[in-house]
Amino acid sequence: MKPHVRDRLFLVFGWLTLFLMGTDVFVMSPLLPLIADHFHVSISSAGLGLTVFALSYAGLAPVFGHYGDSHGRRIPIVYGLITLGVSNAVTAWAPTFAVFLLARFIAGGAAAAITPSVYAATGDVAPAPRRGAWLAIVGSGVFTALWSSAPLGSLLGYRVGWPPVFLILAVVPLGLAAANFGVMSDAGHRPSSARGGYGRLIKDVSVTTLWGAALYGTFTYLGAALKIDGHCSPQQISLGIAAYGVGMVAGGISGGHLADRWGSRRVGAVSCVFLAVFVMIFRAMIGRLLPAMLSLFAFSYSAALFFPAYQTYLAVQHAERRGAALAWNNSALYVGVMVGSFLGGVIFGRVGFQGVPIMSGLFALLALVWGWRLQRPRAARAAK
């Protein structure tokens, strides 16, 4: 197979793989009330399923990123998909809440092997002038899951129960493991020789932690908020998730293209500002269906501009250890997911959903200030 054909096929299967990863993560939010009822726990306790997933991901992503830089991306992706399938089967058949949480922890470890490796492999094969666009395209698979498979999974969950959703998610990874194994090749991989310098990298990815807490603090409890505060039916909840997902896809693709054209620094700053603005508008409009849907779209679109732009920034700034950099960035994202979902659960349990968007807005502004401060000296040096 010619290299350029293989690269484009990988882009297709990479997109499908990240579509699966998005489904696995995002379907949890609308299913939280059902999971809570099944195990006789509170909604905030059910949200621990996302917290432990994020904890596992955050701890293991750098390990797999370093492995990929040294040995290639193929093994983490293929074996991660197989492990994900097994863990989702255990999730569906979990006899107790403790087993459910353990299965989600293992699924987070599998995702830590898969997602950063797909991003890093894309950065490896993408043409340099279009690296942001390629990263945005493959990353749009995650966000597409929000408006397609996640809402469908929500409807299926409310009709036949949530376990069949995870049984489907147990079968699909096996097919994608075979597809990626057939397309990927590490024959030309050159092990990274980079050593040290992790202080700068950790500072860089901490911006993503703040952004992740801002975005997912609200998203984790979106399904519950639409049901309780918005008095929405299951169909309307699915519509809300779909509006959010379409905004994420559009914003994610736009973020990559805009980063190639205008620079990741500007795009990231704009994203954080408008995330803070539109999450507060959604808070005010949640009781009115159409304004709530429109503000959800605007919130997710503006938020999604950030991630592909910042991935592009890291892929260039840390080109000598691209796999590790993007793995640390994805790890930082899931630290943000963990922090946002945990604090959001505490706030949701004490004062209701109305306090959660305030938390998200504050995290977004922190990401803006910290990111601008970190990138400003480098931008000044680049201009000289």
Side-chain angles (χ1 to χ4, degrees):
M1 186 183 296
K2 294 181 179 180
H4 72 279
V5 174
R6 185 173 59 240
D7 292 347
R8 291 186 178 276
L9 276 177
F10 171 73
L11 193 64
V12 172
F13 289 122
W15 186 94
L16 290 171
T17 300
L18 293 188
F19 175 79
L20 169 68
M21 302 311 302
T23 301
D24 198 274
V25 173
F26 294 134
V27 79
M28 279 285 292
S29 177
L31 294 179
L32 280 181
L34 296 177
I35 294 170
D37 289 344
H38 179 86
F39 290 111
H40 306 291
V41 298
S42 67
I43 291 175
S44 58
S45 294
L48 289 173
L50 272 172
T51 303
V52 299
F53 183 104
L55 179 64
S56 178
Y57 191 117
L60 292 175
V63 175
F64 291 118
H66 288 294
Y67 181 93
D69 282 340
S70 299
H71 303 288
R73 324 291 184 195
R74 191 185 202 183
I75 289 177
I77 292 174
V78 171
Y79 283 94
L81 283 164
I82 294 171
T83 304
L84 180 67
V86 173
S87 63
N88 281 339
V90 175
T91 298
W93 289 322
T96 66
F97 187 58
V99 174
F100 170 83
L101 291 180
L102 177 61
R104 298 318 296 156
F105 184 87
I106 295 171
I114 299 164
T115 304
S117 297
V118 171
Y119 280 123
T122 303
D124 291 342
V125 303
R130 300 198 64 221
R131 185 172 285 121
W134 276 48
L135 286 168
I137 289 169
V138 76
S140 70
V142 176
F143 303 136
T144 302
L146 274 170
W147 64 265
S148 55
S149 59
L152 289 174
S154 173
L155 289 174
L156 179 62
Y158 277 94
R159 288 183 180 274
V160 299
W162 63 269
V165 176
F166 283 95
L167 287 177
I168 294 171
L169 294 175
V171 174
V172 175
L174 304 181
L176 283 174
N180 279 285
F181 182 82
V183 168
M184 291 195 69
S185 174
D186 289 326
H189 177 77
R190 289 183 293 179
S192 172
S193 59
R195 297 289 184 273
Y198 286 101
R200 171 186 165 188
L201 176 57
I202 291 172
K203 285 182 180 180
D204 280 343
V205 302
S206 65
V207 179
T208 299
T209 297
L210 297 171
W211 172 82
L215 178 60
Y216 290 96
T218 292
F219 176 77
T220 301
Y221 300 96
L222 183 57
L226 289 171
K227 181 180 180 181
I228 297 170
D229 290 49
H231 309 290
C232 292
S233 66
Q235 292 77 15
Q236 290 171 333
I237 293 174
S238 296
L239 178 63
I241 300 296
Y244 184 100
V246 171
M248 290 295 282
V249 173
I253 294 175
S254 297
H257 286 281
L258 291 175
D260 287 337
R261 181 176 299 180
W262 295 339
S264 58
R265 185 167 176 250
R266 293 177 182 174
V267 176
V270 168
S271 172
C272 290
V273 169
F274 283 102
L275 188 164
V277 170
F278 285 112
V279 75
M280 294 305 296
I281 293 176
F282 171 69
R283 176 182 182 270
M285 298 295 175
I286 192 170
R288 302 166 61 186
L289 184 61
L290 181 58
M293 299 301 106
L294 292 175
S295 59
L296 261 183
F297 174 86
F299 163 55
S300 61
Y301 177 88
S302 57
L305 292 171
F306 175 89
F307 195 66
Y310 207 67
Q311 292 268 86
T312 304
Y313 170 78
L314 293 173
V316 173
Q317 292 292 324
H318 302 276
E320 73 283 0
R321 53 162 68 92
R322 182 172 292 135
L326 297 184
W328 275 93
N329 193 48
N330 278 261
S331 180
L333 169 61
Y334 276 87
V335 171
V337 173
M338 181 176 60
V339 170
S341 62
F342 175 77
L343 292 180
V346 172
I347 293 171
F348 187 92
R350 293 186 177 181
V351 301
F353 177 75
Q354 289 295 312
V356 177
I358 297 175
M359 176 200 76
S360 290
L362 290 175
F363 272 120
L365 294 178
L366 283 173
L368 169 69
V369 173
W370 181 234
W372 196 261
R373 181 178 178 182
L374 287 175
Q375 295 179 48
R376 186 178 179 181
R378 293 168 203 165
R381 286 196 298 268
K384 292 180 180 179

